[in-house]
Amino acid sequence: MLSISNVTARMAGNYYIKDDYYIRDQSQYDHWQGKLCKRVALKEGDPIEAKKFQELLGNNPKRAGFDLTFSAPKSVSVAAAASDNVRQDMIAAHNAAVEKVLRQIEENEIVARVTHNGVTGTVKTGNMVCARFRHYVSRRSDPQLHDHCVVMNQTYYNKKIYAITNDYIYQNKIIYGQLYRNELAVNLQAKGYSVELTDSERGFFELSGMDKEILETFSNRRQEILEKLKTWNATDARSASKATLVTRHAKEHRDLGELQKSWRETILEIGDVKIEKSVKSLELNSADKINAFEQAVERLSDKQFAFTEWDLERAVLAEGCISGVNREDFRQILEKSDIVRLGSIQKGGGMVYYTTIANQAVESQIERITLEFRNKMSHIPVKQARTDLAVLQKKGLNLSAEQTEAVLHITAHQDQFIGVQGLAGTGKTYMLNAAKEVWESNGFRVTGAAYTGKAAEGLQSDAGIKSSTIHSMLNRLEKEAGNSNLDEDLNTKTAWNFDNLKPGKFREVWIVDEAGMINNNLFLTLQQAAIAKKAQVVFVGDYQQLAPIGTGNAFSNLVQSGKLSTCYLTDIIRQRENQQLLQAVREAVKGDIHRSLELVADSTREIASNAKRFRAITEEYTSLSAGDQANTIILTAKNKDRITLNESIRTKLVQSGKLEQGTNIVIQTGKLPEVVRDFSRGDKVIFFKNDYKLNVKNGQTGIIAAVEGQKITVETSGQKVVINADKYNHFDHGYAITTQKAQGVTENRVIVNLDSSQMVLNSRNSYYVDISRARHRVSIYVDDQKKINKQISQFIKKVSSHDFKQEQDIFERQHHPGFKLPTSTVNLLTQAIETRSSKIIDMAEEAIKEIQLNFKNKLGMHR
């Protein structure tokens, strides 16, 4: 891995020299590197002298330099410590990898800010001076082969010395850390050692034949950092860096030979290290590199419609860690691949985005089907629908004018696919209840589906529409078509076969709730099933809430582009008893986050410490009456915070005698390992996996009525469910839940935890979901109000092809009356836009640039 830290003059004087951190135990590997060495009276490869080192550091009082620390995988460090036979091979492989990556950093990332004619810009200088120090021991005396590469804060350009702008190095730290691992893996295999990929997404590897227990034994430093992060309840990169510094100890002045002897004794106690060197080195081939590229593209395209070139490069390098993929390999494979270049986002500029032909095809097919199946369905005449509504109103069903228009829109429409865009709390389910009555009175059969079990539960209980999750519905339809496979896991399917699926004897209407959470692939699958069944589909959602997990956001794209005939519900009624909260929700919808936060300022507390903030949240919740607790939910972004808050609340409830300690039960919460939790009568719980035999759904909540051994009785959705934890254990405490699970939830009171270190999860969307869950009151706890305000001002939108310009983004054309492109270049441009081929795009770019340059020269405009 690669870590980076700035080196100040104070650190140079008080840290490096005091502890002799860099100078002590010099070896043949401690030396200077960099093209700038000659200019500062040094020679690359020469040993480092303390006096010269201090002199170069002291030239800049604020930031003397920055330390790039390259650390080998633990198995490499242990192998180097355990055996003299492989020690030199490990060191040589590491040394060569560090040297190569440092040269790439020097060539590509050493930048200075230069002012010319009053204009300041950045210039890539391509030269640096770096002091490299080899170390073999971690601060907790574990074997840890690593190099500290101290880059002095100076670079040369146009006969002057400038300070280095290291923003680019920090931005690309992950890329260069990955390149180091890739080079190291190649070097080890070239020497005949076998390696294995341990994490393809993050690009980690270890030597083959290394016992896991040995690696854990020699990871004391890592465990120390993890323990500190646990006390802070943090896992983000910023906290990890801080924990590394806080837990840093001065290195012990112990003889390296003594340490090696101690390490080898420990290894023998646990078990032998079986590192075998092959007579013939492993040969890397291009097929493995291409496969790594394809695997990376598949993983990215499963998560998002489009991805940046930086994201793609990082993913390919990680996937190709042990296949020897480097940056040049990446560029060459990218050039020859059929991946689609989209260009840069409109109004955003900068980063170039790519997508796959498959993702583009799905998006295009969704739009084509939506338009093709307009005016294809039988419908209820508007006059009849009005008459039916009048009868319902006499029975006590009171709809607003907006809700009435929505009912008429969806019941009297002839399009096969219809939309309802409704803000949170506008009474969508109440409106759907009336629509169901109108449909059913005219001979239609109405069923519902939603992405989450909780939303499906709400659609059924609040709108009276028999509902299930979308996956359950698609499984049922596939079975109806006679194509179900008994060997498949029905809960994890991503593709269904609807061949031979026929329409039923009733005219069908499907209500798909929380449609804004459905990704493109699932949306298209629903359309295909509906076409086979000749069912009309009403997609109900709010594109301003949380975006889907996966590729694209079809509902948002179709509604905002006008391709889906849509009615709108904008009159929020959920918070009508708290006008101030109601206005805060409205302002969040409009995007005036500053005004929204002003309206909830009296209910917001800033507590920097995670532990203290969680205690305050716990205190607020547990001080409520039992009735108020039953109608209160705590929302937080990350799963780890959900767990911590639930543990804190439950501990407090037990201590106060409001809850029994309970029975130990092993549970499974999502992708996390199995853990043991205490459960007792009165506990709030949430389910994480659909089980159709038990009739529980992912996201559904309930209260434990009884616990008898491993049998738990839960009151949920008006029924009692008896669960045998030996057979179904996908549940946990439900006092706090994640915002992702909260969409579709409504409670009287909501308590929100916002952590600025989780910036990727903080957005206007999530803030809007958080505060709109509450009917009467919301309490917000933040760690840093200023940072949170900035983060939740950003609206997160899934990228689609409509976010990209066509030729304007791909080619910067010169708009001038006399400027015309030759026919050959126009044809090339057209071909580039149609095919999105990277190769053709580059050819067209070069042709246009040359024409532009010639045109400017003729006009005397050459710069």
Side-chain angles (χ1 to χ4, degrees):
M1 63 174 287
L2 168 62
S3 62
I4 306 177
S5 60
N6 287 337
V7 178
T8 65
R10 178 176 176 275
M11 290 169 64
N14 298 326
Y15 179 67
Y16 295 115
I17 300 304
K18 178 182 176 182
D19 291 328
D20 285 335
Y21 187 63
Y22 285 106
I23 307 304
R24 180 169 53 82
D25 296 334
Q26 276 199 4
S27 72
Q28 59 179 315
Y29 299 107
D30 296 348
H31 64 272
W32 299 102
Q33 181 176 324
K35 295 177 183 178
L36 190 59
C37 285
K38 186 176 180 180
R39 189 161 293 279
V40 294
L42 293 171
K43 184 180 179 182
E44 280 197 285
D46 276 359
I48 300 167
E49 295 180 358
K51 184 178 179 180
K52 187 66 175 179
F53 175 66
Q54 185 62 38
E55 175 190 324
L56 290 172
L57 280 172
N59 285 344
N60 191 314
K62 292 183 179 179
R63 190 179 68 202
F66 41 97
D67 178 359
L68 310 181
T69 305
F70 294 89
S71 300
K74 181 59 69 175
S75 60
V76 174
S77 298
V78 173
S83 170
D84 291 331
N85 295 331
V86 299
R87 177 179 175 79
Q88 293 308 314
D89 283 344
M90 299 295 113
I91 292 173
H94 165 78
N95 186 64
V98 173
E99 179 175 347
K100 186 170 183 176
V101 174
L102 276 177
R103 295 206 182 280
Q104 292 180 36
I105 290 174
E106 181 176 36
E107 185 69 26
N108 300 312
E109 312 299 343
I110 300 302
V111 172
R113 290 192 181 279
V114 177
T115 301
H116 182 66
N117 293 333
V119 179
T120 301
T122 56
V123 174
K124 190 183 293 185
T125 64
N127 62 79
M128 68 179 187
V129 58
C130 172
R132 288 183 55 186
F133 301 91
R134 174 67 39 75
H135 287 259
Y136 306 96
V137 188
S138 76
R139 291 184 174 273
R140 298 303 291 167
S141 297
D142 290 326
Q144 185 59 64
L145 174 61
H146 61 285
D147 273 22
H148 287 276
C149 305
V150 183
V151 178
M152 306 302 164
N153 188 20
Q154 52 186 286
T155 188
Y156 184 77
Y157 173 73
N158 198 22
K159 300 181 180 181
K160 290 183 181 180
I161 291 290
Y162 290 87
I164 294 174
T165 300
N166 62 3
D167 299 356
Y168 301 95
I169 300 176
Y170 275 96
Q171 288 170 12
N172 292 305
K173 180 182 79 169
I174 295 175
I175 291 283
Y176 287 107
Q178 188 62 61
L179 286 169
Y180 160 71
R181 290 194 293 275
N182 289 25
E183 290 294 334
L184 179 60
V186 167
N187 295 344
L188 290 168
Q189 291 177 93
K191 292 180 180 295
Y193 296 96
S194 177
V195 299
E196 54 190 38
L197 197 62
T198 56
D199 188 329
S200 61
E201 192 162 348
R202 294 192 294 171
F204 291 159
F205 80 92
E206 298 288 355
L207 285 168
S208 301
M210 185 72 69
D211 190 281
K212 185 178 179 181
E213 188 179 355
I214 292 175
L215 299 183
E216 291 175 351
T217 301
F218 289 116
S219 298
N220 291 319
R221 176 77 177 119
R222 172 67 177 158
Q223 293 304 318
E224 187 178 44
I225 294 170
L226 291 176
E227 285 300 317
K228 177 57 68 176
L229 287 171
K230 186 177 181 181
T231 63
W232 293 345
N233 191 51
T235 57
D236 59 283
R238 186 180 66 178
S239 297
S241 296
K242 184 179 177 182
T244 302
L245 293 173
V246 169
T247 59
R248 177 176 280 172
H249 303 272
K251 284 196 172 182
E252 297 180 20
H253 290 260
R254 293 178 60 182
D255 181 80
L256 185 59
E258 291 181 4
L259 279 173
Q260 287 182 327
K261 183 179 178 181
S262 173
W263 293 334
R264 291 176 185 179
E265 288 174 355
T266 302
I267 290 170
L268 289 173
E269 289 176 3
I270 299 172
D272 196 15
V273 176
K274 299 176 182 177
I275 302 296
E276 297 180 359
K277 185 175 181 180
S278 172
V279 176
K280 185 179 179 181
S281 65
L282 251 70
E283 292 185 8
L284 303 173
N285 59 72
S286 58
D288 289 337
K289 296 179 179 181
I290 293 171
N291 181 62
F293 182 91
E294 292 173 347
Q295 290 294 321
V297 169
E298 183 178 350
R299 187 169 74 242
L300 287 174
S301 62
D302 281 345
K303 294 179 179 178
Q304 54 213 73
F305 172 80
F307 34 85
T308 67
E309 187 170 331
W310 189 92
D311 288 330
L312 179 58
E313 181 178 19
R314 177 186 172 185
V316 172
L317 289 173
E319 191 73 45
C321 178
I322 65 174
S323 302
V325 177
N326 57 36
R327 301 192 92 171
E328 186 60 31
D329 293 327
F330 165 73
R331 293 188 182 97
Q332 288 179 2
I333 299 171
L334 176 63
E335 177 71 25
K336 296 176 182 178
S337 74
D338 61 358
I339 196 168
V340 181
R341 173 174 167 162
L342 294 168
S344 57
I345 294 181
Q346 293 180 20
K347 299 180 182 179
M351 303 283 264
V352 173
Y353 280 77
Y354 292 86
T355 189
T356 62
I357 293 172
N359 277 357
Q360 247 187 353
V362 169
E363 184 186 71
S364 177
Q365 200 171 355
I366 288 170
E367 294 182 0
R368 180 188 61 77
I369 287 173
T370 303
L371 296 174
E372 183 180 333
F373 285 84
R374 283 183 168 177
N375 300 311
K376 294 290 180 75
M377 305 301 293
S378 60
H379 68 293
I380 302 168
V382 175
K383 185 177 180 180
Q384 180 62 48
R386 288 189 184 279
T387 300
D388 293 339
L389 278 177
V391 172
L392 292 173
Q393 287 175 331
K394 287 181 180 179
K395 293 180 179 180
L397 189 67
N398 296 314
L399 297 176
S400 67
E402 191 178 58
Q403 289 171 328
T404 299
E405 287 304 310
V407 172
L408 295 174
H409 175 84
I410 61 179
T411 58
H413 215 292
Q414 289 181 281
D415 287 3
Q416 185 159 6
F417 305 104
I418 316 166
V420 176
Q421 160 60 27
L423 299 179
T426 52
K428 293 189 289 290
T429 52
Y430 188 75
M431 178 276 295
L432 289 171
N433 185 22
K436 176 187 76 85
E437 296 293 334
V438 172
W439 272 312
E440 290 184 344
S441 65
N442 286 274
F444 287 80
R445 187 174 73 176
V446 184
T447 55
Y451 184 74
T452 66
K454 182 65 177 177
E457 177 191 3
L459 188 60
Q460 182 161 312
S461 60
D462 298 338
I465 298 171
K466 186 178 180 181
S467 304
S468 66
T469 62
I470 293 172
H471 278 73
S472 176
M473 178 186 191
L474 296 175
N475 290 339
R476 175 177 54 79
L477 291 171
E478 186 179 53
K479 183 178 180 181
E480 184 180 320
N483 301 320
S484 59
N485 184 346
L486 297 178
D487 295 329
E488 283 185 299
D489 183 351
L490 298 181
N491 293 308
T492 59
K493 280 171 64 69
T494 57
W496 291 264
N497 181 0
F498 301 124
D499 289 348
N500 302 316
L501 183 63
K502 306 294 182 184
K505 59 182 179 180
F506 293 99
R507 292 177 296 176
E508 291 192 44
V509 175
W510 298 348
I511 307 297
V512 179
D513 201 10
E514 301 294 351
M517 299 183 75
I518 305 172
N519 63 48
N520 284 4
N521 294 318
L522 202 56
F523 197 98
L524 177 60
T525 303
L526 278 167
Q527 286 185 314
Q528 292 168 335
I531 291 168
K533 286 289 285 182
K534 291 188 177 179
Q536 190 173 41
V537 185
V538 181
F539 292 102
V540 183
D542 181 4
Y543 61 74
Q544 298 206 61
Q545 294 187 44
L546 299 177
I549 297 172
T551 302
N553 188 346
F555 179 75
S556 175
N557 294 339
L558 292 173
V559 169
Q560 294 190 81
S561 66
K563 292 182 174 67
L564 185 70
S565 182
T566 305
C567 62
Y568 295 82
L569 294 173
T570 60
D571 184 17
I572 301 171
I573 57 177
R574 181 179 293 162
Q575 292 84 23
R576 57 190 166 191
E577 294 182 20
N578 185 336
Q579 288 297 308
Q580 194 164 338
L581 178 58
L582 173 59
Q583 191 57 34
V585 174
R586 285 174 175 162
E587 298 297 344
V589 171
K590 291 191 297 183
D592 191 343
I593 294 299
H594 178 73
R595 176 59 182 151
S596 180
L597 289 168
E598 282 184 342
L599 290 163
V600 294
D602 291 343
S603 303
T604 304
R605 291 180 63 186
E606 183 178 31
I607 305 175
S609 163
N610 280 0
K612 290 180 180 178
R613 192 168 66 258
F614 288 174
R615 282 199 295 271
I617 291 172
T618 299
E619 188 61 37
E620 177 176 342
Y621 181 87
T622 55
S623 65
L624 299 173
S625 67
D628 285 341
Q629 286 180 16
N631 293 291
T632 298
I633 196 70
I634 299 165
L635 301 181
T636 190
K638 296 197 83 171
N639 197 48
K640 69 177 185 63
D641 292 340
R642 174 194 69 81
I643 294 169
T644 303
L645 283 165
N646 278 325
E647 289 177 346
S648 176
I649 287 166
R650 197 177 184 285
T651 299
K652 184 75 173 178
L653 290 173
V654 171
Q655 289 174 349
S656 62
K658 296 178 181 178
L659 203 65
E660 295 177 357
Q661 183 61 43
T663 303
N664 288 343
I665 294 176
V666 177
I667 61 167
Q668 181 76 51
T669 60
K671 296 179 181 179
L672 298 175
E674 288 188 335
V675 293
V676 177
R677 297 263 201 273
D678 288 336
F679 292 92
S680 61
R681 186 170 61 85
D683 258 326
K684 271 190 179 183
V685 292
I686 181 170
F687 299 101
F688 292 117
K689 188 176 181 181
N690 300 324
D691 189 299
Y692 306 114
K693 292 181 180 179
L694 290 173
N695 196 24
V696 297
K697 304 176 183 70
N698 182 9
Q700 187 173 332
T701 57
I703 303 292
I704 294 180
V707 180
E708 298 177 9
Q710 296 298 297
K711 287 188 177 180
I712 301 174
T713 303
V714 180
E715 293 180 349
T716 175
S717 301
Q719 62 173 336
K720 285 191 176 183
V721 177
V722 180
I723 296 168
N724 185 340
D726 290 330
K727 297 179 179 178
Y728 178 92
N729 64 352
H730 299 273
F731 57 89
D732 202 354
H733 299 125
Y735 303 97
I737 64 174
T738 61
T739 300
Q740 189 71 38
K741 293 286 187 188
Q743 193 155 315
V745 171
T746 303
E747 293 290 359
N748 289 344
R749 180 192 294 244
V750 172
I751 302 172
V752 182
N753 172 57
L754 293 175
D755 186 337
S756 64
S757 70
Q758 301 164 4
M759 61 179 68
V760 176
L761 300 174
N762 295 331
S763 64
R764 196 178 100 203
N765 318 56
S766 59
Y767 170 73
Y768 166 43
V769 170
D770 284 337
I771 66 171
S772 64
R773 301 306 94 199
R775 289 191 188 94
H776 306 314
R777 181 171 178 176
V778 65
S779 298
I780 303 173
Y781 291 82
V782 302
D783 67 321
D784 188 316
Q785 187 71 66
K786 188 176 180 180
K787 289 181 180 178
I788 287 294
N789 292 2
K790 184 178 180 180
Q791 291 168 5
I792 64 176
S793 295
Q794 305 300 314
F795 183 78
I796 303 301
K797 176 184 178 297
K798 283 275 187 175
V799 173
S800 75
S801 62
H802 303 292
D803 295 306
F804 299 90
K805 296 179 183 179
Q806 299 296 311
E807 60 186 271
Q808 293 94 332
D809 257 22
I810 304 173
F811 314 107
E812 296 179 2
R813 298 178 63 180
Q814 183 74 21
H815 295 289
H816 188 280
F819 179 75
K820 291 184 179 180
L821 293 176
T823 303
S824 60
T825 308
V826 172
N827 292 338
L828 189 63
L829 179 65
T830 303
Q831 187 182 0
I833 293 171
E834 289 177 350
T835 64
R836 301 289 187 174
S837 164
S838 299
K839 185 175 182 179
I840 298 174
I841 285 170
D842 288 341
M843 290 169 60
E845 281 180 330
E846 290 303 315
I848 291 172
K849 283 178 183 177
E850 185 176 351
I851 293 165
Q852 286 178 341
L853 182 60
N854 292 335
F855 182 71
K856 288 177 183 178
N857 286 334
K858 287 180 182 180
L859 295 176
M861 296 168 57
H862 180 60
R863 292 182 293 211

